[in-house]
Amino acid sequence: MFRREQTRPVKVGPLTIGGGAPVIIESMTNTDTADLAATLAQITELKQAGCELVRVAVPNQRAVAVLPDLIKQSALPVVADIHFNHRFALGAIRAGVVKLRINPGNIGGEERLAEVVSLAGEKQVPIRIGVNAGSLEQRLLDKYGKATPEAMLESAMDHIRMAEKHGFYDLVISLKASSVPLTVAANRLFAKESRYPLHLGVTEAGSSFSGTVYSAVGIGALLLSGLGDTIRISLTAPPVEEIRVAKAILAAAEIRRFGPRVISCPTCGRCQISLIELVKELEQRVAEITEPLTLAVMGCVVNGPGEAREADLGIAGGKNQGLIFCAGEVVRKVPQDRLIDEFMSFLYEYLNSKADFGVSQK
Ligand code: SF4
């Protein structure tokens, strides 16, 4: 299996996908691309949330026409998502997109594909070939009976061959399905056969809740087996939510860290403090911190500090009060109403002392 660090590195504007580069967080705008102001505003919001590469749909000439201005003013490198019309793809490359997402099977035949690939090669614009279980070629559905990992692999390989035939190798591949086991199996099969970097995603994953769960299981399983170079979470929700989930999945897989992780106990009959509210407030208050700390919030002193010994700092609840602890040792006792404020000031003291000792804060 070709693990992340062994995949072929592909330059995507200022970023690199594959070859062991950090796993990139992508998203896609859901504004009318031709509405420049709305699309730029959403891209800025995505960037502020931590998105690193943004894709826009280019379904018509209006969208192609706006691309030069969009790219010039965008807070993030722009990828164009194009189906059916090779002229839109040519226009997007000329406008300066950093990557194209196309499906070589629906771009209008071999000659038109050759035109797109040749211009992409000339302008050094990589192409993502997106294989989707829901839109596999009829020939493969007839051959395999339904969308199977083997059918998805064959589709990807056919499309790769089409590009390679024209001397084009700057490819990123995705194999997506709404079924998690099918997505995972197709990507694993592909990684046995090819060194092209993988864009991971579970497609049509659903609303915030179910999309998060399906994406976490599917993408998480692949990341933990060493696969995946860039990820996109698909949620039927505002795109900015996709970024929060992407960061949480990468952090949970211990692939990238984005600021503090708050661990907290599930509470039980020993808990005499409003732990759910405390955790919620703490998560909001530490959202701006970039230092990769582990903060523990435990419901009681019986097991709290001990259970969270691995944490940098923590809180253990008592009766309407809480203990602040550091590396398993209690350092302060504070009434519940001042607990988060006191904890935050202790946290900043802690960060400053780390900085004084030469530990960098990102
Ligand atoms: S830390 Fe205390 S309150 Fe939380 S689950 Fe453990 S025993 Fe219960």
Side-chain angles (χ1 to χ4, degrees), residues 265-272 275 297-304 307:
C265 82
T267 75
C268 69
R270 293 185 190 89
C271 184
Q272 298 182 74
L275 203 75
V297 186
M298 296 294 162
C300 76
V301 287
V302 178
N303 295 318
E307 282 181 10

Side-chain angles (χ1 to χ4, degrees), residues 290-336:
T290 53
E291 187 78 12
L293 300 168
T294 301
L295 308 175
V297 186
M298 296 294 162
C300 76
V301 287
V302 178
N303 295 318
E307 282 181 10
R309 198 161 280 132
E310 302 302 314
D312 294 282
L313 296 174
I315 291 172
K319 193 166 169 36
N320 302 322
Q321 62 178 11
L323 303 175
I324 296 174
F325 58 90
C326 182
E329 299 294 326
V330 174
V331 289
R332 276 181 209 178
K333 188 194 256 186
V334 187
Q336 178 170 336

Side-chain angles (χ1 to χ4, degrees), residues 26-104:
E26 299 192 25
S27 186
M28 189 167 182
T29 53
N30 64 3
T31 52
D32 172 6
T33 305
D35 183 342
L36 188 61
T39 307
L40 285 171
Q42 195 170 67
I43 292 175
T44 301
E45 199 190 346
L46 284 167
K47 161 138 181 154
Q48 281 163 354
C51 182
E52 293 159 317
L53 186 60
V54 70
R55 183 158 42 116
V56 300
V58 182
N60 49 43
Q61 191 53 46
R62 286 165 51 244
V64 178
V66 92
L67 280 178
D69 284 335
L70 183 71
I71 291 162
K72 211 178 296 161
Q73 295 174 54
S74 170
L76 290 169
V78 176
V79 179
D81 188 284
I82 291 161
H83 290 276
F84 311 123
N85 192 322
H86 84 297
R87 278 193 304 276
F88 297 166
L90 296 172
I93 297 171
R94 289 195 191 99
V97 291
V98 294
K99 186 165 67 130
L100 275 186
R101 186 270 159 145
I102 60 167
N103 179 341

Side-chain angles (χ1 to χ4, degrees), residues 29 117 186 206 208 240:
T29 53
V117 164
S208 287
V240 76

Side-chain angles (χ1 to χ4, degrees), residues 12-314:
V12 178
L15 305 167
T16 300
I17 296 181
V23 178
I24 287 170
I25 297 176
E26 299 192 25
S27 186
M28 189 167 182
T29 53
N30 64 3
T31 52
D32 172 6
T33 305
D35 183 342
L36 188 61
T39 307
L40 285 171
Q42 195 170 67
I43 292 175
T44 301
E45 199 190 346
L46 284 167
K47 161 138 181 154
Q48 281 163 354
C51 182
E52 293 159 317
L53 186 60
V54 70
R55 183 158 42 116
V56 300
V58 182
N60 49 43
Q61 191 53 46
R62 286 165 51 244
V64 178
V66 92
L67 280 178
D69 284 335
L70 183 71
I71 291 162
K72 211 178 296 161
Q73 295 174 54
S74 170
L76 290 169
V78 176
V79 179
D81 188 284
I82 291 161
H83 290 276
F84 311 123
N85 192 322
H86 84 297
R87 278 193 304 276
F88 297 166
L90 296 172
I93 297 171
R94 289 195 191 99
V97 291
V98 294
K99 186 165 67 130
L100 275 186
R101 186 270 159 145
I102 60 167
N103 179 341
N106 73 19
I107 208 75
E110 189 70 28
E111 212 170 293
R112 288 174 173 175
L113 176 68
E115 254 188 273
V116 173
V117 164
S118 146
L119 188 64
E122 191 185 308
K123 304 280 186 196
Q124 297 184 314
V125 173
I127 294 176
R128 170 159 71 92
I129 292 174
V131 174
N132 194 322
S135 57
L136 277 182
E137 300 86 321
Q138 192 56 46
R139 178 185 72 77
L140 294 172
L141 293 175
D142 292 342
K143 179 174 171 184
Y144 291 96
K146 59 178 180 172
T148 63
E150 293 75 15
M152 291 173 73
L153 172 68
E154 191 168 328
S155 175
M157 290 314 216
D158 285 351
H159 291 151
I160 288 170
R161 271 191 292 275
M162 284 186 207
E164 288 181 341
K165 208 168 104 186
H166 299 286
F168 191 88
Y169 301 92
D170 277 343
L171 297 171
V172 177
I173 311 299
S174 63
L175 302 103
K176 299 189 185 183
S178 53
S179 153
V180 167
L182 179 56
T183 303
V184 171
N187 279 275
R188 288 192 172 145
L189 202 56
F190 177 81
K192 285 190 185 144
E193 301 287 328
S194 173
R195 285 188 64 218
Y196 284 117
L198 277 169
H199 164 120
L200 301 183
V202 175
T203 196
E204 294 119 25
S207 63
S208 287
F209 176 74
S210 69
T212 298
V213 174
Y214 278 67
S215 298
V217 174
I219 295 175
L222 289 164
L223 289 172
L224 288 173
S225 51
L227 304 186
D229 301 283
T230 178
I231 66 173
R232 192 263 167 126
I233 311 299
S234 301
L235 299 181
T236 312
V240 76
E241 284 189 34
E242 298 182 356
I243 307 306
R244 286 184 56 221
V245 175
K247 286 166 117 176
I249 291 174
L250 289 173
E254 297 184 7
I255 289 195
R256 290 181 69 180
R257 284 291 298 264
F258 305 91
R261 178 187 176 203
V262 177
I263 58 173
S264 54
C265 82
T267 75
C268 69
R270 293 185 190 89
C271 184
Q272 298 182 74
I273 195 167
S274 313
L275 203 75
I276 296 172
E277 286 75 23
L278 275 178
V279 169
K280 215 166 155 185
E281 193 184 343
L282 186 64
E283 281 193 331
Q284 284 165 359
R285 297 276 293 268
V286 301
E288 299 299 312
I289 296 173
T290 53
E291 187 78 12
L293 300 168
T294 301
L295 308 175
V297 186
M298 296 294 162
C300 76
V301 287
V302 178
N303 295 318
E307 282 181 10
R309 198 161 280 132
E310 302 302 314
D312 294 282
L313 296 174

